[in-house]
Amino acid sequence: EWAEVDFGFDSHRGTEVMLMKMADDKFEMLEEHQVAVQNMFSSRFLATFEEQVTSWQKTLANISEVSTLLSEVQRSWVFLENLFIFSDEVKKELPEESDKFVGIDMDVKEILMNGYQIKSAKEFCNQGNIFQKLEKVQGALEMCQKALNDFMDSKKRAFPRFYFMSSNDLLDVLSNG
């Protein structure tokens, strides 16, 4: 079944960048298969199939971990891209992080392009270094998010009325103000 499971793709803001997503029914199937493999470990006949069962346990765990981390990375990247690439205010106030984000942006687009070329969830998620790449990008995105939050906190201290605005509204005001 996993040979035929592909990621779904949606164009990101009409660009050539394709966001990846595993369909909900496929993710449910993944969870069911992980439980089935776990149950196989309690079988008295495990010795006969232990190598295949262990292999499938690792494969399914990789698919689960990578697809979960990938969705987190994409969510953070889409949010921060709007600010660090398209907002002059953020570029002006956080030039160092904006420069770092350009590199992060290229890394994310490379990962997404790789996924679009491979398409298969099993193949993409079981590449040797994909999880490490995603962890590295996620860490860098968190650093950019932290710098952005520090920047917004400084604006809130300077203008107390900003405490009553949501982060998204404050970013909108600062970007367009």
mmCIF file of all heavy atoms in Angstrom, residues 92-138:
data_model
loop_
_atom_site.group_PDB
_atom_site.id
_atom_site.type_symbol
_atom_site.label_atom_id
_atom_site.label_comp_id
_atom_site.label_asym_id
_atom_site.label_seq_id
_atom_site.Cartn_x
_atom_site.Cartn_y
_atom_site.Cartn_z
ATOM 1 N N LYS A 92 14.166 46.152 7.764
ATOM 2 C CA LYS A 92 14.910 47.292 8.292
ATOM 3 C C LYS A 92 15.263 47.086 9.766
ATOM 4 O O LYS A 92 16.386 47.370 10.184
ATOM 5 C CB LYS A 92 14.058 48.566 8.124
ATOM 6 C CG LYS A 92 14.780 49.842 8.537
ATOM 7 C CD LYS A 92 13.900 51.049 8.294
ATOM 8 C CE LYS A 92 12.959 51.164 9.467
ATOM 9 N NZ LYS A 92 12.097 52.335 9.457
ATOM 10 N N GLU A 93 14.319 46.576 10.542
ATOM 11 C CA GLU A 93 14.524 46.417 11.982
ATOM 12 C C GLU A 93 15.340 45.176 12.348
ATOM 13 O O GLU A 93 16.011 45.152 13.370
ATOM 14 C CB GLU A 93 13.176 46.380 12.712
ATOM 15 C CG GLU A 93 12.386 47.659 12.640
ATOM 16 C CD GLU A 93 13.015 48.789 13.435
ATOM 17 O OE1 GLU A 93 13.724 48.523 14.422
ATOM 18 O OE2 GLU A 93 12.793 49.957 13.057
ATOM 19 N N LEU A 94 15.249 44.142 11.537
ATOM 20 C CA LEU A 94 15.955 42.877 11.811
ATOM 21 C C LEU A 94 16.783 42.458 10.591
ATOM 22 O O LEU A 94 16.533 41.412 9.987
ATOM 23 C CB LEU A 94 14.942 41.778 12.162
ATOM 24 C CG LEU A 94 14.038 42.019 13.366
ATOM 25 C CD1 LEU A 94 12.945 40.976 13.438
ATOM 26 C CD2 LEU A 94 14.847 42.040 14.645
ATOM 27 N N PRO A 95 17.785 43.255 10.222
ATOM 28 C CA PRO A 95 18.535 42.954 8.989
ATOM 29 C C PRO A 95 19.302 41.628 9.062
ATOM 30 O O PRO A 95 19.383 40.904 8.067
ATOM 31 C CB PRO A 95 19.492 44.141 8.847
ATOM 32 C CG PRO A 95 19.603 44.709 10.226
ATOM 33 C CD PRO A 95 18.294 44.438 10.902
ATOM 34 N N GLU A 96 19.865 41.313 10.228
ATOM 35 C CA GLU A 96 20.645 40.081 10.367
ATOM 36 C C GLU A 96 19.752 38.854 10.177
ATOM 37 O O GLU A 96 20.095 37.923 9.439
ATOM 38 C CB GLU A 96 21.281 40.056 11.756
ATOM 39 C CG GLU A 96 22.556 39.262 11.830
ATOM 40 C CD GLU A 96 23.218 39.445 13.192
ATOM 41 O OE1 GLU A 96 23.729 40.546 13.459
ATOM 42 O OE2 GLU A 96 23.197 38.466 13.950
ATOM 43 N N GLU A 97 18.599 38.858 10.838
ATOM 44 C CA GLU A 97 17.674 37.735 10.734
ATOM 45 C C GLU A 97 17.083 37.649 9.325
ATOM 46 O O GLU A 97 16.833 36.559 8.817
ATOM 47 C CB GLU A 97 16.557 37.838 11.776
ATOM 48 C CG GLU A 97 16.981 37.464 13.169
ATOM 49 C CD GLU A 97 17.806 38.535 13.883
ATOM 50 O OE1 GLU A 97 17.883 39.694 13.378
ATOM 51 O OE2 GLU A 97 18.377 38.217 14.933
ATOM 52 N N SER A 98 16.865 38.802 8.697
ATOM 53 C CA SER A 98 16.342 38.803 7.327
ATOM 54 C C SER A 98 17.337 38.153 6.374
ATOM 55 O O SER A 98 16.940 37.384 5.485
ATOM 56 C CB SER A 98 16.041 40.224 6.860
ATOM 57 O OG SER A 98 14.969 40.761 7.599
ATOM 58 N N ASP A 99 18.615 38.438 6.572
ATOM 59 C CA ASP A 99 19.638 37.806 5.738
ATOM 60 C C ASP A 99 19.684 36.301 5.988
ATOM 61 O O ASP A 99 19.814 35.513 5.049
ATOM 62 C CB ASP A 99 21.019 38.417 6.012
ATOM 63 C CG ASP A 99 21.123 39.854 5.520
ATOM 64 O OD1 ASP A 99 20.278 40.260 4.685
ATOM 65 O OD2 ASP A 99 22.039 40.572 5.968
ATOM 66 N N LYS A 100 19.586 35.892 7.260
ATOM 67 C CA LYS A 100 19.563 34.464 7.582
ATOM 68 C C LYS A 100 18.345 33.789 6.967
ATOM 69 O O LYS A 100 18.424 32.660 6.492
ATOM 70 C CB LYS A 100 19.532 34.245 9.104
ATOM 71 C CG LYS A 100 20.835 34.494 9.798
ATOM 72 C CD LYS A 100 20.684 34.236 11.293
ATOM 73 C CE LYS A 100 21.922 34.680 12.050
ATOM 74 N NZ LYS A 100 21.744 34.560 13.511
ATOM 75 N N PHE A 101 17.221 34.507 6.994
ATOM 76 C CA PHE A 101 15.994 33.921 6.469
ATOM 77 C C PHE A 101 16.082 33.655 4.975
ATOM 78 O O PHE A 101 15.470 32.707 4.482
ATOM 79 C CB PHE A 101 14.768 34.790 6.786
ATOM 80 C CG PHE A 101 13.481 34.087 6.484
ATOM 81 C CD1 PHE A 101 12.944 33.209 7.405
ATOM 82 C CD2 PHE A 101 12.837 34.271 5.273
ATOM 83 C CE1 PHE A 101 11.777 32.515 7.121
ATOM 84 C CE2 PHE A 101 11.672 33.597 4.986
ATOM 85 C CZ PHE A 101 11.143 32.715 5.908
ATOM 86 N N VAL A 102 16.848 34.450 4.267
ATOM 87 C CA VAL A 102 17.019 34.204 2.824
ATOM 88 C C VAL A 102 17.628 32.816 2.610
ATOM 89 O O VAL A 102 17.194 32.065 1.733
ATOM 90 C CB VAL A 102 17.886 35.313 2.174
ATOM 91 C CG1 VAL A 102 18.274 34.949 0.758
ATOM 92 C CG2 VAL A 102 17.148 36.642 2.203
ATOM 93 N N GLY A 103 18.611 32.453 3.438
ATOM 94 C CA GLY A 103 19.208 31.114 3.361
ATOM 95 C C GLY A 103 18.217 30.032 3.749
ATOM 96 O O GLY A 103 18.147 28.971 3.113
ATOM 97 N N ILE A 104 17.448 30.291 4.802
ATOM 98 C CA ILE A 104 16.415 29.338 5.237
ATOM 99 C C ILE A 104 15.397 29.147 4.124
ATOM 100 O O ILE A 104 14.979 28.018 3.828
ATOM 101 C CB ILE A 104 15.719 29.842 6.519
ATOM 102 C CG1 ILE A 104 16.700 29.914 7.676
ATOM 103 C CG2 ILE A 104 14.529 28.971 6.868
ATOM 104 C CD1 ILE A 104 16.174 30.685 8.883
ATOM 105 N N ASP A 105 15.011 30.245 3.503
ATOM 106 C CA ASP A 105 14.042 30.221 2.412
ATOM 107 C C ASP A 105 14.536 29.313 1.281
ATOM 108 O O ASP A 105 13.770 28.492 0.759
ATOM 109 C CB ASP A 105 13.826 31.656 1.913
ATOM 110 C CG ASP A 105 12.718 31.769 0.891
ATOM 111 O OD1 ASP A 105 11.587 31.349 1.197
ATOM 112 O OD2 ASP A 105 12.980 32.283 -0.213
ATOM 113 N N MET A 106 15.802 29.426 0.949
ATOM 114 C CA MET A 106 16.366 28.582 -0.115
ATOM 115 C C MET A 106 16.370 27.112 0.308
ATOM 116 O O MET A 106 16.049 26.232 -0.504
ATOM 117 C CB MET A 106 17.777 29.049 -0.482
ATOM 118 C CG MET A 106 17.765 30.374 -1.213
ATOM 119 S SD MET A 106 19.361 31.134 -1.656
ATOM 120 C CE MET A 106 20.598 29.980 -1.267
ATOM 121 N N ASP A 107 16.711 26.841 1.576
ATOM 122 C CA ASP A 107 16.713 25.462 2.079
ATOM 123 C C ASP A 107 15.321 24.844 2.021
ATOM 124 O O ASP A 107 15.157 23.692 1.592
ATOM 125 C CB ASP A 107 17.237 25.398 3.521
ATOM 126 C CG ASP A 107 18.719 25.706 3.628
ATOM 127 O OD1 ASP A 107 19.424 25.670 2.594
ATOM 128 O OD2 ASP A 107 19.183 25.990 4.754
ATOM 129 N N VAL A 108 14.314 25.589 2.461
ATOM 130 C CA VAL A 108 12.941 25.074 2.461
ATOM 131 C C VAL A 108 12.487 24.811 1.035
ATOM 132 O O VAL A 108 11.904 23.755 0.748
ATOM 133 C CB VAL A 108 11.980 26.045 3.186
ATOM 134 C CG1 VAL A 108 10.528 25.637 2.978
ATOM 135 C CG2 VAL A 108 12.302 26.113 4.659
ATOM 136 N N LYS A 109 12.758 25.738 0.141
ATOM 137 C CA LYS A 109 12.355 25.544 -1.256
ATOM 138 C C LYS A 109 13.055 24.340 -1.881
ATOM 139 O O LYS A 109 12.457 23.612 -2.670
ATOM 140 C CB LYS A 109 12.634 26.811 -2.067
ATOM 141 C CG LYS A 109 11.660 27.933 -1.734
ATOM 142 C CD LYS A 109 11.984 29.201 -2.496
ATOM 143 C CE LYS A 109 10.986 30.299 -2.155
ATOM 144 N NZ LYS A 109 11.322 31.571 -2.805
ATOM 145 N N GLU A 110 14.312 24.110 -1.504
ATOM 146 C CA GLU A 110 15.047 22.938 -2.000
ATOM 147 C C GLU A 110 14.404 21.639 -1.493
ATOM 148 O O GLU A 110 14.216 20.693 -2.259
ATOM 149 C CB GLU A 110 16.503 23.015 -1.538
ATOM 150 C CG GLU A 110 17.357 21.839 -1.961
ATOM 151 C CD GLU A 110 18.750 21.920 -1.349
ATOM 152 O OE1 GLU A 110 19.336 23.012 -1.356
ATOM 153 O OE2 GLU A 110 19.228 20.881 -0.873
ATOM 154 N N ILE A 111 14.038 21.613 -0.211
ATOM 155 C CA ILE A 111 13.381 20.431 0.368
ATOM 156 C C ILE A 111 12.040 20.178 -0.326
ATOM 157 O O ILE A 111 11.713 19.040 -0.687
ATOM 158 C CB ILE A 111 13.192 20.603 1.893
ATOM 159 C CG1 ILE A 111 14.548 20.544 2.600
ATOM 160 C CG2 ILE A 111 12.248 19.549 2.447
ATOM 161 C CD1 ILE A 111 14.521 20.981 4.059
ATOM 162 N N LEU A 112 11.266 21.241 -0.519
ATOM 163 C CA LEU A 112 9.959 21.103 -1.159
ATOM 164 C C LEU A 112 10.087 20.680 -2.619
ATOM 165 O O LEU A 112 9.289 19.873 -3.112
ATOM 166 C CB LEU A 112 9.159 22.404 -1.037
ATOM 167 C CG LEU A 112 8.757 22.799 0.387
ATOM 168 C CD1 LEU A 112 8.071 24.163 0.390
ATOM 169 C CD2 LEU A 112 7.875 21.741 1.015
ATOM 170 N N MET A 113 11.098 21.193 -3.307
ATOM 171 C CA MET A 113 11.325 20.790 -4.701
ATOM 172 C C MET A 113 11.700 19.307 -4.757
ATOM 173 O O MET A 113 11.221 18.565 -5.620
ATOM 174 C CB MET A 113 12.431 21.643 -5.329
ATOM 175 C CG MET A 113 12.685 21.341 -6.799
ATOM 176 S SD MET A 113 11.282 21.709 -7.870
ATOM 177 C CE MET A 113 11.277 23.476 -7.806
ATOM 178 N N ASN A 114 12.537 18.883 -3.833
ATOM 179 C CA ASN A 114 12.926 17.477 -3.735
ATOM 180 C C ASN A 114 11.688 16.601 -3.512
ATOM 181 O O ASN A 114 11.516 15.571 -4.157
ATOM 182 C CB ASN A 114 13.939 17.314 -2.591
ATOM 183 C CG ASN A 114 14.417 15.899 -2.413
ATOM 184 O OD1 ASN A 114 14.356 15.083 -3.310
ATOM 185 N ND2 ASN A 114 14.892 15.602 -1.226
ATOM 186 N N GLY A 115 10.810 17.022 -2.604
ATOM 187 C CA GLY A 115 9.582 16.281 -2.340
ATOM 188 C C GLY A 115 8.669 16.232 -3.542
ATOM 189 O O GLY A 115 8.048 15.199 -3.822
ATOM 190 N N TYR A 116 8.590 17.337 -4.276
ATOM 191 C CA TYR A 116 7.736 17.376 -5.468
ATOM 192 C C TYR A 116 8.266 16.437 -6.549
ATOM 193 O O TYR A 116 7.490 15.812 -7.265
ATOM 194 C CB TYR A 116 7.641 18.812 -5.997
ATOM 195 C CG TYR A 116 6.680 18.955 -7.143
ATOM 196 C CD1 TYR A 116 5.320 18.774 -6.948
ATOM 197 C CD2 TYR A 116 7.133 19.268 -8.417
ATOM 198 C CE1 TYR A 116 4.427 18.900 -8.007
ATOM 199 C CE2 TYR A 116 6.254 19.400 -9.470
ATOM 200 C CZ TYR A 116 4.895 19.211 -9.262
ATOM 201 O OH TYR A 116 4.018 19.334 -10.307
ATOM 202 N N GLN A 117 9.586 16.341 -6.650
ATOM 203 C CA GLN A 117 10.176 15.435 -7.639
ATOM 204 C C GLN A 117 9.981 13.976 -7.251
ATOM 205 O O GLN A 117 9.705 13.133 -8.091
ATOM 206 C CB GLN A 117 11.669 15.738 -7.815
ATOM 207 C CG GLN A 117 11.925 17.059 -8.492
ATOM 208 C CD GLN A 117 13.384 17.488 -8.434
ATOM 209 O OE1 GLN A 117 14.180 16.911 -7.709
ATOM 210 N NE2 GLN A 117 13.715 18.525 -9.194
ATOM 211 N N ILE A 118 10.116 13.661 -5.959
ATOM 212 C CA ILE A 118 9.992 12.275 -5.492
ATOM 213 C C ILE A 118 8.531 11.851 -5.394
ATOM 214 O O ILE A 118 8.176 10.741 -5.785
ATOM 215 C CB ILE A 118 10.707 12.092 -4.133
ATOM 216 C CG1 ILE A 118 12.211 12.272 -4.321
ATOM 217 C CG2 ILE A 118 10.390 10.740 -3.528
ATOM 218 C CD1 ILE A 118 13.014 12.240 -3.044
ATOM 219 N N LYS A 119 7.676 12.701 -4.843
ATOM 220 C CA LYS A 119 6.249 12.485 -4.645
ATOM 221 C C LYS A 119 5.914 11.390 -3.640
ATOM 222 O O LYS A 119 5.067 11.543 -2.807
ATOM 223 C CB LYS A 119 5.528 12.228 -5.967
ATOM 224 C CG LYS A 119 5.472 13.451 -6.855
ATOM 225 C CD LYS A 119 4.592 13.260 -8.047
ATOM 226 C CE LYS A 119 4.459 14.458 -8.944
ATOM 227 N NZ LYS A 119 5.570 15.303 -9.201
ATOM 228 N N SER A 120 6.569 10.254 -3.693
ATOM 229 C CA SER A 120 6.264 9.121 -2.819
ATOM 230 C C SER A 120 6.607 9.439 -1.363
ATOM 231 O O SER A 120 7.737 9.808 -1.042
ATOM 232 C CB SER A 120 7.052 7.884 -3.258
ATOM 233 O OG SER A 120 7.002 6.884 -2.269
ATOM 234 N N ALA A 121 5.620 9.266 -0.478
ATOM 235 C CA ALA A 121 5.837 9.539 0.948
ATOM 236 C C ALA A 121 6.897 8.607 1.520
ATOM 237 O O ALA A 121 7.756 9.033 2.287
ATOM 238 C CB ALA A 121 4.524 9.389 1.716
ATOM 239 N N LYS A 122 6.840 7.361 1.127
ATOM 240 C CA LYS A 122 7.796 6.373 1.653
ATOM 241 C C LYS A 122 9.225 6.716 1.233
ATOM 242 O O LYS A 122 10.143 6.712 2.052
ATOM 243 C CB LYS A 122 7.412 4.973 1.152
ATOM 244 C CG LYS A 122 8.318 3.880 1.651
ATOM 245 C CD LYS A 122 7.904 2.528 1.067
ATOM 246 C CE LYS A 122 8.981 1.500 1.268
ATOM 247 N NZ LYS A 122 8.771 0.311 0.474
ATOM 248 N N GLU A 123 9.417 7.043 -0.031
ATOM 249 C CA GLU A 123 10.770 7.360 -0.524
ATOM 250 C C GLU A 123 11.287 8.675 0.060
ATOM 251 O O GLU A 123 12.432 8.762 0.491
ATOM 252 C CB GLU A 123 10.780 7.444 -2.049
ATOM 253 C CG GLU A 123 10.685 6.105 -2.740
ATOM 254 C CD GLU A 123 10.723 6.258 -4.257
ATOM 255 O OE1 GLU A 123 11.569 7.030 -4.761
ATOM 256 O OE2 GLU A 123 9.904 5.600 -4.926
ATOM 257 N N PHE A 124 10.442 9.705 0.050
ATOM 258 C CA PHE A 124 10.873 11.022 0.538
ATOM 259 C C PHE A 124 11.247 10.965 2.015
ATOM 260 O O PHE A 124 12.294 11.480 2.411
ATOM 261 C CB PHE A 124 9.772 12.068 0.315
ATOM 262 C CG PHE A 124 10.120 13.423 0.862
ATOM 263 C CD1 PHE A 124 10.986 14.256 0.183
ATOM 264 C CD2 PHE A 124 9.601 13.858 2.083
ATOM 265 C CE1 PHE A 124 11.324 15.514 0.687
ATOM 266 C CE2 PHE A 124 9.930 15.098 2.599
ATOM 267 C CZ PHE A 124 10.792 15.924 1.898
ATOM 268 N N CYS A 125 10.401 10.355 2.817
ATOM 269 C CA CYS A 125 10.603 10.357 4.273
ATOM 270 C C CYS A 125 11.720 9.426 4.723
ATOM 271 O O CYS A 125 12.189 9.535 5.855
ATOM 272 C CB CYS A 125 9.309 9.983 4.983
ATOM 273 S SG CYS A 125 7.998 11.202 4.757
ATOM 274 N N ASN A 126 12.151 8.523 3.867
ATOM 275 C CA ASN A 126 13.204 7.591 4.251
ATOM 276 C C ASN A 126 14.541 7.901 3.577
ATOM 277 O O ASN A 126 15.433 7.059 3.559
ATOM 278 C CB ASN A 126 12.765 6.149 3.980
ATOM 279 C CG ASN A 126 11.784 5.676 5.020
ATOM 280 O OD1 ASN A 126 12.151 5.420 6.149
ATOM 281 N ND2 ASN A 126 10.508 5.605 4.649
ATOM 282 N N GLN A 127 14.675 9.114 3.061
ATOM 283 C CA GLN A 127 15.978 9.557 2.581
ATOM 284 C C GLN A 127 16.896 9.699 3.790
ATOM 285 O O GLN A 127 16.446 10.076 4.870
ATOM 286 C CB GLN A 127 15.876 10.916 1.893
ATOM 287 C CG GLN A 127 15.077 10.916 0.617
ATOM 288 C CD GLN A 127 15.012 12.303 0.056
ATOM 289 O OE1 GLN A 127 15.951 12.770 -0.574
ATOM 290 N NE2 GLN A 127 13.912 12.979 0.305
ATOM 291 N N GLY A 128 18.155 9.452 3.594
ATOM 292 C CA GLY A 128 19.095 9.430 4.703
ATOM 293 C C GLY A 128 19.141 10.666 5.571
ATOM 294 O O GLY A 128 19.207 10.580 6.786
ATOM 295 N N ASN A 129 19.078 11.847 4.981
ATOM 296 C CA ASN A 129 19.320 13.068 5.769
ATOM 297 C C ASN A 129 18.131 14.030 5.814
ATOM 298 O O ASN A 129 18.283 15.150 6.278
ATOM 299 C CB ASN A 129 20.537 13.788 5.195
ATOM 300 C CG ASN A 129 20.331 14.201 3.755
ATOM 301 O OD1 ASN A 129 19.342 13.832 3.124
ATOM 302 N ND2 ASN A 129 21.265 14.959 3.220
ATOM 303 N N ILE A 130 16.975 13.621 5.368
ATOM 304 C CA ILE A 130 15.857 14.567 5.285
ATOM 305 C C ILE A 130 15.395 15.036 6.665
ATOM 306 O O ILE A 130 15.091 16.206 6.858
ATOM 307 C CB ILE A 130 14.675 13.985 4.459
ATOM 308 C CG1 ILE A 130 13.683 15.091 4.091
ATOM 309 C CG2 ILE A 130 13.980 12.853 5.172
ATOM 310 C CD1 ILE A 130 14.215 16.100 3.121
ATOM 311 N N PHE A 131 15.370 14.133 7.637
ATOM 312 C CA PHE A 131 14.926 14.523 8.980
ATOM 313 C C PHE A 131 15.893 15.537 9.587
ATOM 314 O O PHE A 131 15.468 16.534 10.179
ATOM 315 C CB PHE A 131 14.781 13.292 9.887
ATOM 316 C CG PHE A 131 14.132 13.595 11.208
ATOM 317 C CD1 PHE A 131 12.768 13.827 11.290
ATOM 318 C CD2 PHE A 131 14.887 13.677 12.369
ATOM 319 C CE1 PHE A 131 12.154 14.119 12.503
ATOM 320 C CE2 PHE A 131 14.286 13.971 13.586
ATOM 321 C CZ PHE A 131 12.923 14.193 13.653
ATOM 322 N N GLN A 132 17.199 15.318 9.391
ATOM 323 C CA GLN A 132 18.201 16.251 9.925
ATOM 324 C C GLN A 132 18.084 17.619 9.246
ATOM 325 O O GLN A 132 18.210 18.657 9.901
ATOM 326 C CB GLN A 132 19.617 15.686 9.751
ATOM 327 C CG GLN A 132 19.939 14.508 10.642
ATOM 328 C CD GLN A 132 19.345 13.182 10.158
ATOM 329 O OE1 GLN A 132 18.875 13.058 9.024
ATOM 330 N NE2 GLN A 132 19.351 12.194 11.026
ATOM 331 N N LYS A 133 17.850 17.619 7.938
ATOM 332 C CA LYS A 133 17.679 18.893 7.226
ATOM 333 C C LYS A 133 16.478 19.660 7.778
ATOM 334 O O LYS A 133 16.552 20.869 8.003
ATOM 335 C CB LYS A 133 17.453 18.642 5.728
ATOM 336 C CG LYS A 133 18.684 18.358 4.928
ATOM 337 C CD LYS A 133 18.294 18.209 3.460
ATOM 338 C CE LYS A 133 19.484 17.927 2.591
ATOM 339 N NZ LYS A 133 19.097 17.756 1.169
ATOM 340 N N LEU A 134 15.370 18.937 7.976
ATOM 341 C CA LEU A 134 14.167 19.583 8.484
ATOM 342 C C LEU A 134 14.367 20.098 9.911
ATOM 343 O O LEU A 134 13.893 21.185 10.245
ATOM 344 C CB LEU A 134 12.975 18.618 8.432
ATOM 345 C CG LEU A 134 12.410 18.361 7.040
ATOM 346 C CD1 LEU A 134 11.445 17.189 7.064
ATOM 347 C CD2 LEU A 134 11.723 19.599 6.491
ATOM 348 N N GLU A 135 15.072 19.328 10.747
ATOM 349 C CA GLU A 135 15.354 19.790 12.110
ATOM 350 C C GLU A 135 16.209 21.054 12.101
ATOM 351 O O GLU A 135 15.969 21.982 12.875
ATOM 352 C CB GLU A 135 16.076 18.696 12.906
ATOM 353 C CG GLU A 135 15.164 17.650 13.479
ATOM 354 C CD GLU A 135 15.903 16.674 14.377
ATOM 355 O OE1 GLU A 135 17.066 16.307 14.059
ATOM 356 O OE2 GLU A 135 15.322 16.286 15.397
ATOM 357 N N LYS A 136 17.201 21.086 11.222
ATOM 358 C CA LYS A 136 18.077 22.255 11.112
ATOM 359 C C LYS A 136 17.267 23.489 10.690
ATOM 360 O O LYS A 136 17.403 24.567 11.268
ATOM 361 C CB LYS A 136 19.188 21.964 10.100
ATOM 362 C CG LYS A 136 20.146 23.097 9.878
ATOM 363 C CD LYS A 136 21.193 22.734 8.834
ATOM 364 C CE LYS A 136 21.901 23.966 8.353
ATOM 365 N NZ LYS A 136 21.952 24.082 6.909
ATOM 366 N N VAL A 137 16.420 23.317 9.688
ATOM 367 C CA VAL A 137 15.592 24.421 9.204
ATOM 368 C C VAL A 137 14.612 24.866 10.294
ATOM 369 O O VAL A 137 14.419 26.066 10.508
ATOM 370 C CB VAL A 137 14.841 24.013 7.911
ATOM 371 C CG1 VAL A 137 13.761 25.006 7.557
ATOM 372 C CG2 VAL A 137 15.818 23.874 6.757
ATOM 373 N N GLN A 138 14.024 23.890 10.998
ATOM 374 C CA GLN A 138 13.081 24.232 12.068
ATOM 375 C C GLN A 138 13.777 25.040 13.159
ATOM 376 O O GLN A 138 13.225 26.019 13.659
ATOM 377 C CB GLN A 138 12.450 22.958 12.655
ATOM 378 C CG GLN A 138 11.457 23.194 13.760
ATOM 379 C CD GLN A 138 10.167 23.847 13.307
ATOM 380 O OE1 GLN A 138 9.950 24.105 12.137
ATOM 381 N NE2 GLN A 138 9.314 24.146 14.247
#
